[in-house]
Each structure stands twice: as structure tokens, then as C-alpha cells.
Amino acid sequence: MSNPTTVNQQKSTQHAILISEFGAPEVMKYQSGVSIPKLADEQVLIKVAYAGINPVDYKTRQGKGWGADNILKDKFDHDKTAILGFDVAGEVVSSNNEHFVVGDTVAALNFAGGCYAEYVAVDANLLAKVPNGVTLEEAGALPCIGQTAIQFMAFADIKKGEHVVMNAPAGGVGHLLIQLLMKKVAQDDIKLTVICSPEKYAKLDELIERNKLTGWIDYTKNTDFPDLQADVLLDLVGGDAGVRALSVLRTGGRVKVLPTIWVDKLKEAGNYKGLSVDGYGVEQNGQDMARVLQQVSDGELTLCIQQTYPLSEIAAAHRQLQKGDTFGKIVLKISA
């Protein structure tokens, strides 16, 4: 265990984004004088350099899902404010774990939140050191989407020669997932069709060799999707868009869906085809964090960052993400 000179001895407060209620982006308040977290056993204090934002962030802010349930129970019900943010990259400034020392640069997916701040305390088992060749900006963008993409790929269990259809191939998770799928196109002879707008389809050139795709469906056209007799649908959208996409599948086909809140809707809609529908939620862990960081470092994955905002402009960042047309990721810059 390290014997750190903690940041708390030099500085006791920080800037952070606080919420005291759920609602529109304006409920997020940029404030000074916020207490810096105290470390528990096996935790590490990080001076945050960058924090990625994800759809789960704005859904939590709106009061939806498990993140909002936790905030309600742990914070609002006790008249406490909450700090959003699950993605973090930065520098260790204090450590209660022997594997991480002051000065290490690290990244983590932290479901406890708190990353929209200058400092955050994170359980050491969620952390990975940032390898050479990966910037802190990239590391801050990667935790949620990177761990989701590699775990979702394993969860989908795609077999050799299967025809896979995916939607949202240019979003946060999608732009990494499509790169992993293209490896299976080459190695396992799978067929891959994507559902996206013409603008996003054009941008895929930055990530993959588009001529190796089996096909492309333009969802902006008011026509029925083709019956491709596909084996698997990877649905990263859900809702009515997910229901519309079911027509591409063969009878008895498989649907793997993010987020899990749409599983029941898709099961009901797919009953006529005997589809199996399963949802997946990412599991936070340091091993997968390290794995996906290394894939970026090795050039196996290309990470796209559309825009970086200062922490004080968090409301604008959320509004941009909610438009739903992001290519890659939006990131907050906290400190240099």
C-alpha cells in the first residue's frame, strides 16, 4: 500500500458538475467548493484529465434506468447532490492499492459515477494503466464503449458463415463493434449488413473497407427493410427502430440488443418469427479496460472523437449527444 502525499492535504475542494434533481441539461450545475472524495480501502484518487459522455449519462440525468435509481436511493432521498459520469482517465494522486502509485496514468469505467469532476475516487479493480500510444483524451473516451463493444461481441457468439445485421454502426459502441465484426468477416467468413443513414455510411470509410460489407440498408427511406434471411441482428438502438429491423431476420433468428430496456418490446414484436431476443449490459472491470486500451495502442481499433468540450460546457455536450447523430464519441476535458 502506498504512503501517498494526498491531494487532500494540499487542496480540499474542487470544481464539479452537480445535480440535485432529474431533468433537462440545465439541471447540471458547474460549481466550485465541492469536497474532494475521501479514499476507502483499495481505492485510488484520480485527478481527472478527460471524462467521456455516453447515452446512459443523459438518460440518468433524465431520471431513467439503473443509474437514476441509484442516485435517487443513495443521494436524493438523503438530500444530497450527485455527480454524473462513468468514464474517466487521468493521473493517480493518492492510492490505497499496491498496484497503482502516484503518477500512474489510468482509465476506468466507474458505475459509482462522479467523473464529471476534477477528482474522483475509483475502486482499484476497475482501473487499467494507459499504455504508450494512447492519449489521455482517447483513454477518457474509451471505458464504456470499449468494454461494451468487446463484451457484446463475445455475448453475440457469432458463428462461422452467419449473416449478421447491425444498426448504428457509427455511434460510440457501434464504431468499435463494426471494426471487431470486420475481423470476423475476414477470419470466419461472416456476412455483415449495416443499417444507417447515407451520411454515416459514407463516414464508415474512415473505419473499415466498405466494399467488404455484404450490404447497406438506408433507414431514412420510407420503405420496408428487405427480408435478408439473416441469422443475427445486433440492435444498438432498440425501440421502433429495433422493431423495424426484425424483418431482416430468418425464422428462429437471434436478436442481441443494447440497451436491455427494449428486450420485452422486441420479444413481443418478434414472436411471429420465433426470434430469440437477449439484452446485454456492460460489466465494469479492469481486465477488459486494459484489453481494449491495448487494442487501441496496437492499432487494432480506431477510436473516433467527434468533439471535446470543457467541463463547464456540460449542458452543450449533453445536448449534442442527445441529437443522436454523433460519429464516435464526445468527451469532456477536465484538466491538462
Side-chain angles (χ1 to χ4, degrees):
M1 187 175 295
S2 66
N3 182 22
T5 302
T6 71
V7 73
N8 306 56
Q9 292 170 346
Q10 306 156 23
K11 185 178 177 183
S12 60
T13 63
Q14 62 172 331
H15 288 87
I17 302 295
L18 302 184
I19 63 169
S20 57
E21 60 181 326
F22 298 124
E26 289 70 28
V27 301
M28 298 181 292
K29 307 297 184 186
Y30 181 66
Q31 294 191 9
S32 60
V34 179
S35 294
I36 290 174
K38 300 286 192 282
L39 285 187
D41 289 345
E42 297 302 317
Q43 281 194 326
V44 171
L45 187 68
I46 301 168
K47 182 181 181 184
V48 183
Y50 292 90
I53 67 172
N54 303 284
V56 67
D57 293 23
Y58 70 72
K59 289 170 186 171
T60 301
R61 187 204 76 228
Q62 292 168 335
K64 300 173 183 175
W66 57 266
D69 291 342
N70 289 344
I71 286 173
L72 194 62
K73 179 179 66 178
D74 299 335
K75 301 290 186 180
F76 292 175
D77 284 353
H78 304 281
D79 293 324
K80 295 180 180 178
T81 55
I83 301 174
L84 300 175
F86 301 117
D87 283 355
V88 62
E91 181 180 341
V92 174
V93 293
S94 180
S95 177
N96 282 342
N97 178 273
E98 62 185 359
H99 299 295
F100 299 97
V101 298
V102 172
D104 283 345
T105 54
V106 294
L109 173 59
N110 180 41
F111 285 162
C115 300
Y116 292 2
E118 291 181 297
Y119 296 91
V120 63
V122 179
D123 291 347
N125 64 347
L126 304 181
L127 290 172
K129 294 177 184 178
V130 178
N132 292 334
V134 180
T135 67
L136 280 175
E137 184 180 28
E138 291 172 323
L142 194 60
C144 186
I145 62 170
Q147 292 187 49
T148 301
I150 62 174
Q151 291 174 19
F152 192 58
M153 190 74 187
F155 176 72
D157 192 25
I158 298 161
K159 306 294 195 296
K160 191 177 180 72
E162 287 191 315
H163 188 174
V164 179
V165 179
M166 75 172 293
N167 55 21
V173 174
H175 89 285
L176 299 182
L177 186 61
I178 194 171
Q179 295 176 65
L180 298 174
L181 287 164
M182 292 305 289
K183 291 181 184 177
K184 290 190 76 68
V185 169
Q187 295 168 4
D188 294 333
D189 197 33
I190 72 164
K191 301 177 180 68
L192 179 61
T193 296
V194 297
I195 302 171
C196 61
S197 68
E199 294 78 14
K200 292 294 178 63
Y201 183 63
K203 278 188 166 289
L204 293 180
D205 272 338
E206 299 176 26
L207 301 171
I208 64 168
E209 296 180 63
R210 280 191 312 176
N211 62 345
K212 294 187 176 178
L213 291 171
T214 302
W216 162 50
I217 299 171
D218 179 0
Y219 75 84
T220 67
K221 292 182 177 178
N222 291 319
T223 57
D224 292 334
F225 288 175
D227 180 3
L228 300 178
Q229 291 293 298
D231 302 288
V232 186
L233 171 65
L234 302 182
D235 177 18
L236 277 60
V237 181
D240 293 338
V243 171
R244 187 182 182 193
L246 299 180
S247 62
V248 303
L249 291 167
R250 63 171 173 80
T251 299
R254 310 195 308 280
V255 181
K256 305 296 182 180
V257 60
L258 291 168
T260 56
I261 58 171
W262 298 114
V263 168
D264 290 343
K265 182 181 180 79
L266 295 183
K267 276 184 177 176
E268 184 178 350
N271 275 341
Y272 75 103
K273 277 191 173 181
L275 302 177
S276 68
V277 181
D278 298 293
Y280 189 75
V282 63
E283 297 177 4
Q284 54 180 357
N285 69 79
Q287 292 80 14
D288 283 344
M289 185 73 263
R291 186 174 149 210
V292 74
L293 280 165
Q294 195 60 50
Q295 286 178 313
V296 173
S297 176
D298 293 342
E300 294 178 22
L301 283 177
T302 297
L303 176 67
C304 296
I305 296 174
Q306 175 174 298
Q307 195 167 353
T308 301
Y309 290 82
L311 182 62
S312 58
E313 294 182 17
I314 183 63
H318 268 230
R319 281 192 290 268
Q320 179 62 44
L321 186 63
Q322 277 186 249
K323 290 179 182 177
D325 60 1
T326 302
F327 180 61
K329 196 71 184 281
I330 293 174
V331 184
L332 298 172
K333 182 176 182 179
I334 315 298
S335 60

